[in-house]
PDB file of all heavy atoms in Angstrom:
ATOM      1  N   PHE A  73      -5.578 -16.508  -3.040  1.00  0.00           N
ATOM      2  CA  PHE A  73      -4.525 -15.905  -2.214  1.00  0.00           C
ATOM      3  C   PHE A  73      -5.080 -15.309  -0.917  1.00  0.00           C
ATOM      4  O   PHE A  73      -4.320 -14.948  -0.020  1.00  0.00           O
ATOM      5  CB  PHE A  73      -3.788 -14.804  -2.983  1.00  0.00           C
ATOM      6  CG  PHE A  73      -2.951 -15.312  -4.123  1.00  0.00           C
ATOM      7  CD1 PHE A  73      -3.431 -15.298  -5.417  1.00  0.00           C
ATOM      8  CD2 PHE A  73      -1.677 -15.811  -3.895  1.00  0.00           C
ATOM      9  CE1 PHE A  73      -2.654 -15.764  -6.473  1.00  0.00           C
ATOM     10  CE2 PHE A  73      -0.900 -16.283  -4.935  1.00  0.00           C
ATOM     11  CZ  PHE A  73      -1.387 -16.256  -6.240  1.00  0.00           C
ATOM     12  N   LEU A  74      -6.394 -15.153  -0.850  1.00  0.00           N
ATOM     13  CA  LEU A  74      -6.990 -14.417   0.268  1.00  0.00           C
ATOM     14  C   LEU A  74      -6.769 -15.073   1.630  1.00  0.00           C
ATOM     15  O   LEU A  74      -6.576 -14.382   2.626  1.00  0.00           O
ATOM     16  CB  LEU A  74      -8.486 -14.201   0.000  1.00  0.00           C
ATOM     17  CG  LEU A  74      -9.225 -13.290   0.984  1.00  0.00           C
ATOM     18  CD1 LEU A  74      -8.604 -11.896   1.033  1.00  0.00           C
ATOM     19  CD2 LEU A  74     -10.707 -13.182   0.611  1.00  0.00           C
ATOM     20  N   LYS A  75      -6.802 -16.381   1.679  1.00  0.00           N
ATOM     21  CA  LYS A  75      -6.680 -17.072   2.966  1.00  0.00           C
ATOM     22  C   LYS A  75      -5.338 -16.749   3.638  1.00  0.00           C
ATOM     23  O   LYS A  75      -5.299 -16.328   4.791  1.00  0.00           O
ATOM     24  CB  LYS A  75      -6.835 -18.583   2.763  1.00  0.00           C
ATOM     25  CG  LYS A  75      -6.932 -19.359   4.058  1.00  0.00           C
ATOM     26  CD  LYS A  75      -7.498 -20.754   3.808  1.00  0.00           C
ATOM     27  CE  LYS A  75      -7.763 -21.500   5.107  1.00  0.00           C
ATOM     28  NZ  LYS A  75      -6.531 -21.999   5.734  1.00  0.00           N
ATOM     29  N   LEU A  76      -4.267 -16.926   2.901  1.00  0.00           N
ATOM     30  CA  LEU A  76      -2.938 -16.657   3.451  1.00  0.00           C
ATOM     31  C   LEU A  76      -2.783 -15.171   3.784  1.00  0.00           C
ATOM     32  O   LEU A  76      -2.177 -14.794   4.791  1.00  0.00           O
ATOM     33  CB  LEU A  76      -1.862 -17.099   2.461  1.00  0.00           C
ATOM     34  CG  LEU A  76      -0.438 -17.097   3.003  1.00  0.00           C
ATOM     35  CD1 LEU A  76      -0.267 -18.147   4.093  1.00  0.00           C
ATOM     36  CD2 LEU A  76       0.568 -17.329   1.877  1.00  0.00           C
ATOM     37  N   PHE A  77      -3.346 -14.335   2.922  1.00  0.00           N
ATOM     38  CA  PHE A  77      -3.312 -12.888   3.159  1.00  0.00           C
ATOM     39  C   PHE A  77      -3.950 -12.567   4.510  1.00  0.00           C
ATOM     40  O   PHE A  77      -3.369 -11.880   5.350  1.00  0.00           O
ATOM     41  CB  PHE A  77      -4.057 -12.167   2.031  1.00  0.00           C
ATOM     42  CG  PHE A  77      -4.163 -10.681   2.221  1.00  0.00           C
ATOM     43  CD1 PHE A  77      -3.188  -9.827   1.727  1.00  0.00           C
ATOM     44  CD2 PHE A  77      -5.239 -10.119   2.907  1.00  0.00           C
ATOM     45  CE1 PHE A  77      -3.273  -8.454   1.911  1.00  0.00           C
ATOM     46  CE2 PHE A  77      -5.333  -8.751   3.114  1.00  0.00           C
ATOM     47  CZ  PHE A  77      -4.350  -7.917   2.599  1.00  0.00           C
ATOM     48  N   LEU A  78      -5.158 -13.085   4.737  1.00  0.00           N
ATOM     49  CA  LEU A  78      -5.888 -12.786   5.974  1.00  0.00           C
ATOM     50  C   LEU A  78      -5.217 -13.414   7.196  1.00  0.00           C
ATOM     51  O   LEU A  78      -5.106 -12.773   8.246  1.00  0.00           O
ATOM     52  CB  LEU A  78      -7.337 -13.280   5.863  1.00  0.00           C
ATOM     53  CG  LEU A  78      -8.228 -12.525   4.880  1.00  0.00           C
ATOM     54  CD1 LEU A  78      -9.562 -13.240   4.710  1.00  0.00           C
ATOM     55  CD2 LEU A  78      -8.450 -11.084   5.331  1.00  0.00           C
ATOM     56  N   GLU A  79      -4.780 -14.652   7.046  1.00  0.00           N
ATOM     57  CA  GLU A  79      -4.141 -15.318   8.189  1.00  0.00           C
ATOM     58  C   GLU A  79      -2.886 -14.583   8.638  1.00  0.00           C
ATOM     59  O   GLU A  79      -2.666 -14.382   9.830  1.00  0.00           O
ATOM     60  CB  GLU A  79      -3.788 -16.765   7.827  1.00  0.00           C
ATOM     61  CG  GLU A  79      -4.991 -17.685   7.838  1.00  0.00           C
ATOM     62  CD  GLU A  79      -4.699 -19.065   7.248  1.00  0.00           C
ATOM     63  OE1 GLU A  79      -3.582 -19.278   6.706  1.00  0.00           O
ATOM     64  OE2 GLU A  79      -5.595 -19.916   7.319  1.00  0.00           O
ATOM     65  N   THR A  80      -2.072 -14.180   7.682  1.00  0.00           N
ATOM     66  CA  THR A  80      -0.825 -13.506   8.060  1.00  0.00           C
ATOM     67  C   THR A  80      -1.089 -12.059   8.495  1.00  0.00           C
ATOM     68  O   THR A  80      -0.386 -11.525   9.350  1.00  0.00           O
ATOM     69  CB  THR A  80       0.241 -13.581   6.943  1.00  0.00           C
ATOM     70  OG1 THR A  80      -0.258 -12.967   5.750  1.00  0.00           O
ATOM     71  CG2 THR A  80       0.645 -15.023   6.651  1.00  0.00           C
ATOM     72  N   ALA A  81      -2.142 -11.440   7.949  1.00  0.00           N
ATOM     73  CA  ALA A  81      -2.496 -10.078   8.389  1.00  0.00           C
ATOM     74  C   ALA A  81      -2.995 -10.122   9.829  1.00  0.00           C
ATOM     75  O   ALA A  81      -2.705  -9.229  10.626  1.00  0.00           O
ATOM     76  CB  ALA A  81      -3.556  -9.469   7.473  1.00  0.00           C
ATOM     77  N   GLU A  82      -3.745 -11.164  10.182  1.00  0.00           N
ATOM     78  CA  GLU A  82      -4.216 -11.306  11.561  1.00  0.00           C
ATOM     79  C   GLU A  82      -3.040 -11.410  12.523  1.00  0.00           C
ATOM     80  O   GLU A  82      -3.089 -10.940  13.649  1.00  0.00           O
ATOM     81  CB  GLU A  82      -5.110 -12.542  11.700  1.00  0.00           C
ATOM     82  CG  GLU A  82      -6.565 -12.272  11.411  1.00  0.00           C
ATOM     83  CD  GLU A  82      -7.137 -11.163  12.287  1.00  0.00           C
ATOM     84  OE1 GLU A  82      -7.349 -11.389  13.472  1.00  0.00           O
ATOM     85  OE2 GLU A  82      -7.349 -10.054  11.764  1.00  0.00           O
ATOM     86  N   GLU A  83      -1.992 -12.036  12.062  1.00  0.00           N
ATOM     87  CA  GLU A  83      -0.827 -12.198  12.923  1.00  0.00           C
ATOM     88  C   GLU A  83       0.022 -10.926  13.003  1.00  0.00           C
ATOM     89  O   GLU A  83       0.535 -10.582  14.061  1.00  0.00           O
ATOM     90  CB  GLU A  83       0.013 -13.368  12.413  1.00  0.00           C
ATOM     91  CG  GLU A  83       1.031 -13.830  13.429  1.00  0.00           C
ATOM     92  CD  GLU A  83       1.724 -15.121  13.023  1.00  0.00           C
ATOM     93  OE1 GLU A  83       1.294 -15.736  12.022  1.00  0.00           O
ATOM     94  OE2 GLU A  83       2.694 -15.489  13.705  1.00  0.00           O
ATOM     95  N   TYR A  84       0.149 -10.230  11.871  1.00  0.00           N
ATOM     96  CA  TYR A  84       1.143  -9.150  11.820  1.00  0.00           C
ATOM     97  C   TYR A  84       0.641  -7.740  11.533  1.00  0.00           C
ATOM     98  O   TYR A  84       1.370  -6.782  11.750  1.00  0.00           O
ATOM     99  CB  TYR A  84       2.204  -9.498  10.761  1.00  0.00           C
ATOM    100  CG  TYR A  84       3.032 -10.708  11.104  1.00  0.00           C
ATOM    101  CD1 TYR A  84       2.996 -11.845  10.290  1.00  0.00           C
ATOM    102  CD2 TYR A  84       3.849 -10.715  12.229  1.00  0.00           C
ATOM    103  CE1 TYR A  84       3.777 -12.956  10.588  1.00  0.00           C
ATOM    104  CE2 TYR A  84       4.622 -11.819  12.537  1.00  0.00           C
ATOM    105  CZ  TYR A  84       4.590 -12.938  11.711  1.00  0.00           C
ATOM    106  OH  TYR A  84       5.357 -14.031  12.013  1.00  0.00           O
TER     107      TYR A  84
END
Side-chain angles (χ1 to χ4, degrees):
F73 291 97
L74 188 59
K75 189 163 187 284
L76 190 66
F77 176 90
L78 291 171
E79 283 170 353
T80 59
E82 272 304 287
E83 195 171 352
Y84 294 117

